[in-house]
Amino acid sequence: MTPTTSPKPQTAPAAPPDASSRRLPLTLHRLLHAREAGVFAALVLLFLLGTVLSPTFAQSGNLLSVGQQIAQLGIMAVGATFVILNGEIDLSVGSTYALSAISTGMLISDGWSWAAAMAVGLAVGVLAGLFNGLAVVLLGVPSFIVTLGTLSVFRGIALLISDGAPISLSSSQPGVAEFSLLGQGRLFGVIPMQFVFFAAVAAIGVVLLARSRFGFNTYAVGGNQEAARLVGVNVKRVKLTAFVLSGFTAGLAGVLGLSFLSYVQGVTGQGLELTVISAVIIGGAALFGGSGTMWGTVIGVAFIGLLQNILNIKGISSFWQTVVTGLVIVAAVAADTWQRKRKTRA
């Protein structure tokens, strides 16, 4: 006899969760696991620390001052982000900054209109980036070596054309008052114009990196250059464009720096390249390319700005500020390395 079994009771399948119940956990998951989440949390903690340490820290006047102070750094960091995401490096941005500012200042002093002089200054930045890019993609020389060399070359040119003398612009010179508004003016009488430029450049950078084919190709080249080439990505064009963007943003920052101070000399911007790279790395970009976002760079720039502002408010020596910034960079790179190893083990 074959034993009989009672049929198992049929249960209705569980109803799938509705879209709203799925969306919230997914959004939280993405937020908590985003590369920028840790940096943003550190930025919030730094802001709270500054609020506790100084009653004037969170005042609008101070925060607007911070926005003005980080504008030039932020503009340069946007361009540098594309280079670093390609797995390359640009050490010449500080020298490009000085060369563009010197060129603009000399032309204004010679009687050129400020608009024409500014256009030449921006073109100088583009040409500097183009030179770097061509040396990397055509000669095959590592970008570290190329830009280490052009760091000295562009600085030397700036010193040669200015004969090592500083350039000062006077408001009595034609067009200087209008030119100064770019760096010293305030939108609606409140928001520093330099910060407006930074916000505009950052917005363009976000769209270009996250929404364009060039941005997709940038990640592809930085992640695996050979694989990107095999699927049809023009690796040389992508890298060349990144260096041109880096040169342009360095030139723009140099012109705005001249507009703000009405003063420049050949040694202006020395060491600025390290701060720019630091902002990008602190923002979560992988030093060897393929990973990072423009939002992360913006957060990294804001982090450096708030950190320096707190140290200034507390009267900390500029030497100690350099030490603290260096330690933050080491911590950021160490955190990125640890995260990569953890993902590899997983």
Side-chain angles (χ1 to χ4, degrees), residues 78-88 205-229 231-243 245 280 285-286 288-294 340:
V78 169
T81 299
F82 290 101
V83 174
I84 291 176
L85 290 180
N86 270 283
E88 305 292 347
V206 168
V207 173
L208 195 59
L209 187 58
R211 301 294 181 183
S212 72
R213 180 173 295 275
F214 170 68
F216 175 82
N217 291 341
T218 295
Y219 284 113
V221 172
N224 190 319
Q225 181 174 309
E226 183 60 22
R229 186 186 66 81
V231 299
V233 176
N234 190 326
V235 175
K236 291 183 177 180
R237 181 185 300 170
V238 171
K239 290 192 175 187
L240 185 61
T241 303
F243 277 104
L245 288 173
V280 180
F288 301 105
S291 182
T293 67
M294 197 61 68
R340 284 174 169 269

Side-chain angles (χ1 to χ4, degrees), residues 94-170:
S95 298
T96 302
Y97 174 101
L99 183 57
S100 294
I102 286 282
S103 302
T104 303
M106 291 183 65
L107 292 177
I108 292 177
S109 297
D110 287 343
W112 285 46
S113 70
W114 68 266
M118 179 177 177
V120 171
L122 295 178
V124 167
V126 170
L127 290 175
L130 182 62
F131 182 88
N132 286 333
L134 289 174
V136 171
V137 302
L138 295 184
L139 301 181
V141 182
S143 58
F144 179 87
I145 302 300
V146 169
T147 58
L148 183 63
T150 54
L151 178 152
S152 297
V153 171
F154 299 156
R155 180 74 62 188
I157 294 174
L159 289 168
L160 283 170
I161 63 176
S162 64
D163 200 24
I167 295 174
S168 297
L169 301 180
S170 171

